[in-house]
Amino acid sequence: MGDSVSRKMMNAETEDEATVKRALADCIKESSRLFTELEESSKRWYYSSAPASTIKTPVDVSDALCKSEPVQVLVKLLCTPATSTTATTEASGKGGVIGGDQLSQLVTMLSDTLASEDSAKRRSGTAVFASVLEVALSHSRLLETSVSPVVSFFCDRIADKDCLFQVVRGLDAVLAVQDVSALYDDNEDTTKRCTVVARICRELFIVDVAALNPSLRLIILRILELLWDKYIAKGTVNDITLEEYGKGLARVTTGEREPKSILTMFRIFKEILSKAPVPAPSATAPNAPSPLHKELFEATSCYFPILFVPRATDPGAIKKPELSAALRATLAANIPSSEACLKLMIDKLSSSMEVVRGDACDALVDCCSSFGPQSVKPHMEGIWGGLRDNVVVSEDAELRSKGSLALSSIMSVFEDDTAVLKELLVPIAQDLTRLICSTGTDEQLALNACQMYSHLARSSRQTRVLLLELTAQQLCDAFKGFSSSATTSTDTTTPTEPAIKPVPKLPPHTIIKVLAEVCQACEGLSPAILHPFALPFYLLFTQSLELPSEIHKQHAVMGLGVLVGLYSKPAMPITIPLIEDEDEEEQSCSCEGCSAKSTCNGHCSHAMAETASASPVQAPAPTKNKKNKGGKKKNKKNKSKPKKPAHPQATQSTPEVTPTATSTTTSAAKESTPDVLMEELYQKVPPPPLNREQCVEAVKKIAAFLLPQAQINSKTAATFVEVLSGISRRDPTVIIEQVIPILFTSSSASTLSYMASLSSSHPTVFKVVADELCARLCDNPARNNQVIVIGSSTPSTTTSSTATTPSISVDEEVKLLDTLVQVIKDSVNNEEAVIYNTYSILPKLVTRAFEWVCVNDASQVDMRRHMVYGVAIMLQRVTFSMPFHIQLPLILTTTALFLSGGQSMFMQQTPFSPTIFDPNATTVPKEHYSLSKLFTAVVGSTDPSNIQLLSSAVPVLYECALKPLTPAQSTEATVEAAKCYAAILNKQLPTATSPMMLEPEAITTLLTTLSSSPQKYGSVMLLGWVCKALCLCWYAPYAQTALSALCDMCSLEATGASPDTPRWAAEALRIVAEPCDDALGTHTNANVTPSSGENVFLHVFERFVSQNTGAEVPVLNNNQLSALAYVVSSAPAPLLEKHAEKLLQLGIFSKMVGSQNDSLCKMGLQSLRALISAKSCHATLAKSLRPMFTSIAAVACSKVLVTGAGTGTSSAESGSNTWVAPVQVRVAALQVLSDMSLKMEPCHTLPFKAEVAALVTHVLDDPKRVVRHEARQCRNAWLVM
């Protein structure tokens, strides 16, 4: 029995072995086939010039072999499940293990193939072995005892060039999943044994990698990178040094051109340099690099600069900036090779390619900051020479910017050593000064030098100080020399010769430019640096303002702005804390409401604000309160206050002063009384270089250039205004006292626009400008002697004898109002300014607007209406953003004026005639604005909690809306009155948070009254707006009642209707369906329900259909169709899909598209696109496709048919209609046709293909390019059907 079992086991083993052999033979056969195809594809490419994409690579062969069925079968036979504890541990979550027996069996079976002298057989056998391991290791692991033999197997075959790719790929698969840190090779000689990691590295280092294909080089570098990251960098392997690995990697990567491999190489080199020991400096060579540092520098410097262009077809490719940054970081990490690196950069600065010089500048920034001052100093002469001769003269702005940044960064390296920094700055300062002062053809070179000077001045504080010390006096002297030659000339002519007037030579504006930029650099970083140079700079800048050149003035004003901002503000008084008696009463500030003590001196913030707002021209002097809180005088005998010494500059700004050592005095030599202490303290504070009078004088000169007579260009003026705004942010007082009065002397539009820009710089300046503009508008004596008498409905004539404001014309009033509109619009985001506008400015303007409306002079009507339009725009911008709790004064003012006579002015309508305006002017209103717009803006912004304030105006609004009009009068006031009435009604309806403010019976009575007068236009319009107010919150059943009444009027079923009633009713339904405007629904204080549009559509649609219950297909008149079209255009898409069949039966879309009305046609096309996008509507659309197609085609080619382009006959000649759809409508029609082809089934649209082709042929002659483009898109969509 035992023999039989043994025989069975032997037979089973024999069968398994036979199965493995058969599978292995199949694998070898498959491998040979794949390599044969590889060779044939290479031959085809070589001899027949086949595309490179058809060539197979070794990677393709290996991938195909791994995926082949024979390899998969062989792997299943060799791998065993992980059953034991040890195997499970070694598997580490893998599916199984590969033991030594299986590998030995596989190698034994492949021995003949692996040892064959035929290279093709060796390659096939090695490929099979590597592929089996790669597939097996994807879900299994090798036993630890099997890893070393496998690695040794591959290492022994690295020298076989024919099998190198398969060997390296198999080795990569093993190292990716196996830990080899503690493994040694199988060398029998113990003296030559080494770790597996060292063995792999040494075998790969001797391979001629440069001659291999890119895919093989990439795998080799990946193996070396893995060994570095997992073992060598962490120090787990000790028998391979950093020097050996670094030199070997440098040899392997020689000539590498693959960006990914180069990036990996730079990273590893940088890490090696950070770990490698730095050689000790010697007397002869303080920075002598080691052989490793030399080797790595040679390996990396050959790649500088990176002239690499990524593949356009590869979006994930490595970009040039990434490679350049890695190269710079690697070079900067090689500190011992700093001398060679800096010489390389200096040499590259003289390259003929600008991109190379730019990369050299970038590298200098990184390298110099890493190398340190000791290594950089010997090369500074060469660095500056390269920058001066090759970068400053360049026309490339980007290169100059990089050069300036490089110089600034290099000089910041020497920040800690002032002596060395000054030594290095001397030649740089001399060269830059020489270039800046150059004239004539070297002007661009001077500008380039200015740019580098400015960057250098902004680099560090110490550099800025030394640069000013070295160049400031030279620049000022050069400017004075040019100025003297420009103003003086020598007469060399004889008396008989005619006198030739010399042409003045202006100083280079680059001098002013660079000094102004230095002032700006010092302003935000270290303003104390400017103190020694402030006065010379001030004189130079003020002198430049007198030159005729605009560019000189711009730079001078920029510099003066910095100086005035620093020295114009009054100094805070210096006080010494004294110990006083407890019973002494505190002295309060003279300013009412001020909490400051004796240090106020009238300069507290609220006092300045009150002073500024009191008079924009001259602020009153601060008052002094000589009494204490009780109103009694203080006892001077017992309580004397220290007297402040009269410092010559006590009222000027105190500059930054470095504290100096003070001399100590004994109490016997000098008594330390409060007066003495105060005197000593004032003596220690040096006076500022500029006093306030000089700053004020400079501001006056700048402001004078903004007047029209100065005739400066807009760019210069913008610079001046920007500078004055900067001064205003620091010291608004000087702008209020000096600039604003000068600007108000002119009424030109440009000057007023400058004033509007200045008003946004500081809240105090805003208040002064707004107050003055409002005063000039509202207190103008020249009002045609017409004022409003409250309580009277007509204006009365009075004469004002106490007017102090000069009279201004209507044109000037328009300019002032436009300026005020701009000032208030710019202050919308400032809550404090909004409150100020509401309480101080807007009520006055509203009152003045009521006066403007009632002007009897026919020549001024349109211009006055334009001014009311400006006030309405301000109210729309400001009131909608103001808090509700501060609306009270504006609402009360507007309502009081409206009720006291405004209703008659509200109805004073005359045809608007803008012929007196320029048609292209942007300030001219595009529609007729009057007092109605003004009142509508106030009503629309009112909070529902304040709605009772307008309740008294409701009856008047009702009368205004229903008042009959003559044919010559405009309907604007009627519509606006109805809109205001509806807005007040809407805000009185109930919401989720507030109850209803009206009685339901009042709404019922209102609807009954309005429905019973369909013959009146005002009644129908008011019913439409009331219906809109009810529909917004869908206050049923009142909204349904109003909608039913309007629907009945459209069908002439209303009692007493006139022939125009259906048209008015359709217009009213359009109002109901359209989105809300300023008075209703667009703001947070409106009562709106999201589903209101859906409810309106359902009710109107069902009402119209129910009126034709007897007909199979309802028949609607034109007004009903128009009304339904407006409602359909505002309905949501799901609702249209639900009722698409009934709407198509009515023919609503065809009639909308063919209505020859721009808005109706566009809305119909939009609705059709929504239906075409819904698949559920395609079957229904197909039934009505013919009439819709006819209408759409007529719209698409309407322009071509009218002009006759492409047809030879115009519509005028043929007597047809001459309506031309707008461009947007023609484009929309073509888009509908495209959607029909792309989104609908071909069985529905294929019959129209020939017609569309003929149509597009005509439309391609359309004069508009966008229409022709859409026609081509439409043709392409139908051609691919």
Side-chain angles (χ1 to χ4, degrees):
M1 183 176 179
D3 294 339
S4 62
V5 172
S6 300
R7 283 195 300 271
K8 289 181 180 180
M9 293 179 61
M10 292 177 61
N11 292 334
E13 291 177 359
T14 305
E15 292 176 2
D16 292 342
E17 185 177 353
T19 304
V20 172
K21 287 183 178 180
R22 286 195 298 270
L24 185 59
D26 293 339
C27 291
I28 294 175
K29 186 176 180 181
E30 180 68 16
S31 176
S32 301
R33 185 185 66 81
L34 292 173
F35 280 111
T36 302
E37 291 181 357
L38 173 65
E39 294 175 357
E40 291 178 354
S41 67
S42 300
K43 291 179 181 179
R44 284 196 303 271
W45 172 77
Y46 182 81
Y47 290 106
S48 62
S49 302
S53 59
T54 62
I55 306 175
K56 289 189 177 182
T57 62
V59 178
D60 300 331
V61 172
S62 298
D63 292 341
L65 187 59
C66 290
K67 297 176 182 178
S68 64
E69 184 178 356
V71 172
Q72 299 290 336
V73 172
L74 186 59
V75 170
K76 291 180 181 179
L77 294 173
L78 293 176
C79 292
T80 59
T83 56
S84 64
T85 305
T86 304
T88 304
T89 303
E90 292 179 356
S92 301
K94 298 288 184 177
V97 294
I98 306 175
D101 297 337
Q102 291 92 337
L103 289 176
S104 299
Q105 182 185 5
L106 180 62
V107 172
T108 302
M109 293 179 180
L110 288 171
S111 58
D112 295 338
T113 307
L114 295 175
S116 176
E117 295 182 359
D118 188 356
S119 60
K121 290 184 178 181
R122 291 199 313 273
R123 183 175 57 182
S124 298
T126 307
V128 170
F129 184 72
S131 300
V132 169
L133 281 179
E134 184 176 351
V135 175
L137 290 175
S138 63
H139 55 76
S140 303
R141 286 176 69 90
L142 291 171
L143 289 174
E144 185 177 353
T145 56
S146 303
V147 175
S148 182
V150 171
V151 173
S152 298
F153 170 84
F154 284 125
C155 290
D156 293 339
R157 284 160 177 76
I158 288 179
D160 190 353
K161 296 182 179 179
D162 296 325
C163 306
L164 181 59
F165 183 87
Q166 290 73 29
V167 169
V168 170
R169 180 148 176 165
L171 189 61
D172 183 32
V174 174
L175 295 176
V177 297
Q178 301 288 158
D179 184 11
V180 297
S181 59
L183 299 181
Y184 286 80
D185 65 346
D186 292 339
N187 197 329
E188 296 179 356
D189 189 354
T190 56
T191 59
K192 296 181 179 180
R193 291 188 67 185
C194 62
T195 60
V196 169
V197 174
R199 171 77 186 280
I200 296 172
C201 290
R202 288 164 186 163
E203 293 291 345
L204 291 177
F205 287 159
I206 62 177
V207 176
D208 186 10
V209 180
L212 304 177
N213 60 61
S215 58
L216 183 53
R217 293 202 308 266
L218 188 63
I219 297 176
I220 293 175
L221 189 61
R222 186 167 66 228
I223 294 174
L224 294 174
E225 180 187 12
L226 183 146
L227 295 177
W228 167 260
D229 292 337
K230 291 180 68 174
Y231 309 112
I232 302 175
K234 296 179 180 179
T236 57
V237 178
N238 299 322
D239 58 344
I240 182 169
T241 62
L242 288 174
E243 183 173 359
E244 181 183 1
Y245 182 86
K247 290 182 177 180
L249 183 63
R251 287 194 297 271
V252 168
T253 55
T254 300
E256 182 61 53
R257 300 179 64 85
E258 184 65 28
K260 187 176 181 180
S261 301
I262 295 174
L263 198 62
T264 302
M265 176 186 69
F266 288 159
R267 180 184 66 83
I268 298 177
F269 282 171
K270 181 182 176 183
E271 294 178 4
I272 293 175
L273 290 169
S274 64
K275 297 177 181 294
V278 179
S282 60
T284 57
N287 290 329
S290 65
L292 175 62
H293 290 90
K294 288 183 179 179
E295 187 81 19
L296 296 186
F297 176 75
E298 292 296 333
T300 54
S301 61
C302 62
Y303 288 97
F304 187 88
I306 298 291
L307 300 176
F308 165 69
V309 179
R311 302 183 185 93
T313 57
D314 187 4
I318 297 174
K319 302 298 188 293
K320 177 188 173 182
E322 189 177 357
L323 281 174
S324 300
L327 175 58
R328 293 196 302 268
T330 306
L331 292 173
N334 199 342
I335 298 177
S337 302
S338 59
E339 182 177 359
C341 181
L342 291 176
K343 288 182 179 179
L344 174 65
M345 298 308 146
I346 294 172
D347 180 65
K348 295 299 181 181
L349 283 176
S350 59
S351 172
S352 59
M353 299 176 62
E354 292 183 346
V355 64
V356 176
R357 283 178 277 169
D359 289 347
C361 293
D362 293 337
L364 283 173
V365 173
D366 295 342
C367 293
C368 291
S369 60
S370 175
F371 295 160
Q374 186 178 2
S375 301
V376 178
K377 181 183 176 182
H379 302 277
M380 271 305 300
E381 183 178 356
I383 293 174
W384 168 239
L387 293 174
R388 178 195 59 212
D389 300 336
N390 303 290
V391 176
V392 178
V393 299
S394 175
E395 297 180 357
D396 187 3
E398 183 179 1
L399 175 59
R400 295 198 305 270
S401 178
K402 289 182 176 181
S404 302
L405 178 61
L407 181 61
S408 304
S409 303
I410 294 170
M411 300 312 297
S412 63
V413 175
F414 305 95
E415 180 69 17
D416 297 333
D417 194 341
T418 306
V420 174
L421 181 61
K422 185 173 183 179
E423 178 186 352
L424 298 176
L425 271 177
V426 169
I428 298 175
Q430 291 176 353
D431 291 338
L432 288 177
T433 304
R434 174 178 55 82
L435 294 174
I436 290 171
C437 297
S438 60
T439 58
T441 58
D442 297 333
E443 182 178 0
Q444 184 59 45
L445 184 62
L447 289 173
N448 299 347
C450 284
Q451 179 183 2
M452 186 160 288
Y453 187 102
S454 301
H455 277 81
L456 189 60
R458 296 176 185 271
S459 60
S460 63
R461 187 182 190 281
Q462 193 62 32
T463 304
R464 195 158 37 251
V465 173
L466 295 175
L467 195 61
L468 279 173
E469 291 179 359
L470 294 172
T471 61
Q473 189 61 44
Q474 298 179 17
L475 292 172
C476 292
D477 293 343
F479 182 85
K480 292 177 182 177
F482 281 105
S483 300
S484 59
S485 64
T487 54
T488 60
S489 59
T490 305
D491 189 8
T492 59
T493 59
T494 60
T496 59
E497 295 176 353
I500 301 175
K501 186 176 181 180
V503 179
K505 189 176 181 180
L506 296 177
H509 67 87
T510 51
I511 300 178
I512 313 296
K513 174 181 174 63
V514 76
L515 293 180
E517 291 179 353
V518 169
C519 291
Q520 291 178 333
C522 297
E523 175 188 14
L525 300 175
S526 49
I529 299 175
L530 281 177
H531 294 341
F533 312 99
L535 186 57
F537 287 179
Y538 171 83
L539 298 176
L540 187 145
F541 291 147
T542 52
Q543 186 179 356
S544 300
L545 289 178
E546 301 175 359
L547 297 176
S549 172
E550 297 277 343
I551 190 68
H552 285 76
K553 294 176 183 178
Q554 289 183 25
H555 299 321
V557 167
M558 291 170 60
L560 281 175
V562 176
L563 297 178
V564 172
L566 290 176
Y567 302 112
S568 67
K569 209 168 185 179
M572 295 299 295
I574 301 176
T575 59
I576 298 179
L578 301 177
I579 301 176
E580 299 183 357
D581 297 337
E582 295 181 357
D583 57 347
E584 181 179 3
E585 297 180 358
E586 295 180 348
Q587 181 181 357
S588 63
C589 170
S590 61
C591 307
E592 184 179 356
C594 183
S595 59
K597 306 304 178 185
S598 58
T599 59
C600 175
N601 292 335
H603 293 290
C604 56
S605 59
H606 74 273
M608 294 180 67
E610 293 175 359
T611 301
S613 61
S615 173
V617 180
Q618 183 177 3
T623 59
K624 296 183 179 180
N625 190 0
K626 298 182 179 181
K627 293 184 180 182
N628 56 10
K629 293 180 180 180
K632 297 180 180 180
K633 293 183 179 180
K634 289 190 175 182
N635 189 353
K636 296 182 180 180
K637 181 178 180 181
N638 297 329
K639 300 173 183 177
S640 60
K641 187 177 179 181
K643 206 173 179 185
K644 185 170 70 174
H647 196 290
Q649 302 291 345
T651 62
Q652 299 169 10
S653 64
T654 304
E656 293 184 8
V657 181
T658 305
T660 57
T662 58
S663 61
T664 58
T665 57
T666 61
S667 59
K670 196 169 186 179
E671 185 180 1
S672 296
T673 62
D675 290 336
V676 173
L677 291 176
M678 182 67 73
E679 184 177 357
E680 289 180 357
L681 186 58
Y682 269 96
Q683 289 176 356
K684 293 173 187 176
V685 178
L690 297 178
N691 56 37
R692 184 171 176 79
E693 287 73 18
Q694 290 172 314
C695 296
V696 169
E697 187 63 28
V699 172
K700 287 182 178 179
K701 290 183 178 181
I702 297 174
F705 281 107
L706 296 178
L707 297 178
Q709 52 267 30
Q711 296 181 352
I712 60 174
N713 58 41
S714 57
K715 182 179 180 181
T716 306
T719 303
F720 287 14
V721 173
E722 183 180 356
V723 169
L724 291 176
S725 299
I727 297 173
S728 176
R729 283 188 283 270
R730 302 184 189 92
D731 183 14
T733 307
V734 68
I735 301 297
I736 294 171
E737 295 178 352
Q738 307 299 332
V739 178
I740 301 302
I742 293 177
L743 295 181
F744 267 115
T745 59
S746 172
S747 59
S748 66
S750 59
T751 307
L752 292 174
S753 66
Y754 304 152
M755 199 174 334
S757 301
L758 282 175
S759 66
S760 61
S761 61
H762 196 275
T764 307
V765 179
F766 159 75
K767 292 179 182 179
V768 172
V769 172
D771 279 340
E772 182 64 21
L773 289 171
C774 186
R776 296 193 177 210
L777 282 170
C778 300
D779 301 333
N780 179 24
R783 301 181 184 175
N784 297 323
N785 296 328
Q786 294 177 350
V787 297
I788 295 296
V789 178
I790 300 299
S792 174
S793 60
T794 57
S796 61
T797 302
T798 60
T799 303
S800 176
S801 60
T802 60
T804 58
T805 306
S807 300
I808 56 178
S809 63
V810 178
D811 294 337
E812 292 174 342
E813 270 190 329
V814 173
K815 295 177 182 178
L816 291 174
L817 182 63
D818 290 340
T819 305
L820 185 57
V821 169
Q822 186 62 41
V823 168
I824 294 181
K825 282 166 59 179
D826 293 342
S827 66
V828 167
N829 297 326
N830 189 341
E831 184 176 355
E832 180 182 357
V834 169
I835 296 174
Y836 182 79
N837 291 333
T838 307
Y839 281 93
S840 303
I841 304 297
L842 294 180
K844 297 179 182 178
L845 281 179
V846 169
T847 305
R848 186 72 175 110
F850 275 86
E851 300 173 5
W852 285 331
V853 174
C854 65
V855 173
N856 294 329
D857 190 352
S859 62
Q860 299 181 3
V861 168
D862 290 333
M863 193 168 290
R864 298 295 188 183
R865 298 282 174 82
H866 169 65
M867 301 176 77
V868 177
Y869 159 74
V871 178
I873 291 297
M874 275 194 297
L875 290 177
Q876 291 173 356
R877 292 295 182 94
V878 178
T879 55
F880 289 139
S881 61
M882 71 170 58
F884 295 138
H885 65 277
I886 63 171
Q887 292 178 345
L888 183 62
L890 187 60
I891 297 173
L892 291 177
T893 301
T894 310
T895 308
L897 290 170
F898 179 75
L899 294 176
S900 62
Q903 65 270 27
S904 59
M905 291 180 287
F906 196 91
M907 295 301 298
Q908 286 181 1
Q909 302 295 328
T910 55
F912 181 64
S913 175
T915 53
I916 60 174
F917 294 110
D918 180 7
N920 299 323
T922 57
T923 58
V924 177
K926 296 296 186 294
E927 53 183 319
H928 190 175
Y929 281 88
S930 66
L931 183 60
S932 55
K933 290 288 183 184
L934 189 68
F935 195 75
T936 304
V938 175
V939 173
S941 64
T942 306
D943 183 55
S945 59
N946 297 333
I947 201 66
Q948 295 297 337
L949 300 173
L950 294 168
S951 58
S952 57
V954 171
V956 180
L957 290 170
Y958 184 80
E959 294 177 1
C960 293
L962 298 180
K963 184 177 180 180
L965 300 174
T966 61
Q969 289 180 312
S970 171
T971 61
E972 177 191 3
T974 301
V975 174
E976 294 298 329
K979 187 187 299 185
C980 292
Y981 187 91
I984 298 175
L985 174 64
N986 175 262
K987 294 171 185 180
Q988 291 178 313
L989 297 175
T991 63
T993 57
S994 62
M996 185 169 180
M997 303 180 189
L998 291 175
E999 294 293 335
E1001 292 78 8
I1003 302 179
T1004 304
T1005 305
L1006 174 65
L1007 295 178
T1008 304
T1009 305
L1010 296 177
S1011 302
S1012 60
S1013 303
Q1015 72 279 7
K1016 297 180 180 179
Y1017 172 78
S1019 178
V1020 178
M1021 286 295 104
L1022 184 57
L1023 179 60
W1025 281 104
V1026 169
C1027 180
K1028 185 179 184 68
L1030 296 170
C1031 291
L1032 282 176
C1033 60
W1034 197 244
Y1035 189 58
Y1038 301 102
Q1040 297 176 349
T1041 303
L1043 284 173
S1044 299
L1046 291 175
C1047 292
D1048 294 339
M1049 292 180 184
C1050 286
S1051 58
L1052 286 174
E1053 294 182 4
T1055 305
S1058 67
D1060 293 329
T1061 299
R1063 179 172 53 85
W1064 296 340
E1067 182 71 14
L1069 283 174
R1070 180 188 63 82
I1071 293 172
V1072 176
E1074 281 183 345
C1076 304
D1077 61 356
D1078 293 339
L1080 286 171
T1082 57
H1083 303 281
T1084 56
N1085 55 358
N1087 185 6
V1088 182
T1089 300
S1091 60
S1092 59
E1094 180 178 351
N1095 294 328
V1096 170
F1097 169 79
L1098 290 175
H1099 186 83
V1100 174
F1101 178 70
E1102 293 175 359
R1103 186 73 178 181
F1104 282 152
V1105 173
S1106 64
Q1107 291 175 354
N1108 297 269
T1109 54
E1112 181 178 356
V1113 177
V1115 179
L1116 304 181
N1117 59 43
N1118 290 334
N1119 295 300
Q1120 288 176 317
L1121 283 173
S1122 300
L1124 187 57
Y1126 290 127
V1127 176
V1128 165
S1129 63
S1130 61
L1135 203 62
L1136 293 180
E1137 298 173 14
K1138 183 178 179 181
H1139 300 276
E1141 184 174 1
K1142 184 64 71 175
L1143 290 171
L1144 290 170
Q1145 288 180 0
L1146 291 172
I1148 182 65
F1149 299 110
S1150 301
K1151 293 179 181 179
M1152 288 173 67
V1153 175
S1155 63
Q1156 296 189 357
N1157 180 282
D1158 297 348
S1159 59
L1160 273 180
C1161 183
K1162 186 175 182 180
M1163 289 186 293
L1165 292 171
Q1166 292 173 351
S1167 300
L1168 275 178
R1169 294 196 70 184
L1171 291 179
I1172 293 173
S1173 301
K1175 292 185 178 180
S1176 59
C1177 300
H1178 288 177
T1180 307
L1181 280 170
K1183 300 177 183 178
S1184 307
L1185 208 55
R1186 171 55 63 184
M1188 286 192 299
F1189 178 81
T1190 304
S1191 302
I1192 296 170
V1195 172
C1197 60
S1198 59
K1199 180 67 176 179
V1200 178
L1201 293 177
V1202 170
T1203 58
T1207 61
T1209 306
S1210 66
S1211 60
E1213 297 173 357
S1214 59
S1216 59
N1217 201 310
T1218 59
W1219 175 75
V1220 177
V1223 176
Q1224 297 85 351
V1225 178
R1226 302 203 298 272
V1227 169
L1230 292 170
Q1231 290 174 347
V1232 172
L1233 292 176
S1234 300
D1235 290 348
M1236 289 170 58
S1237 173
L1238 297 174
K1239 298 179 180 181
M1240 295 184 66
E1241 291 78 3
C1243 61
H1244 299 318
T1245 56
L1246 194 59
F1248 300 95
K1249 185 175 181 179
E1251 298 180 50
V1252 172
L1255 168 69
V1256 171
T1257 303
H1258 293 298
V1259 180
L1260 287 175
D1261 294 325
D1262 196 282
K1264 294 297 182 180
R1265 183 184 62 85
V1266 64
V1267 180
R1268 297 194 301 271
H1269 173 75
E1270 197 62 43
R1272 287 192 293 269
Q1273 297 293 330
C1274 179
R1275 179 182 59 185
N1276 296 338
W1278 282 83
L1279 286 177
V1280 300
M1281 185 183 300

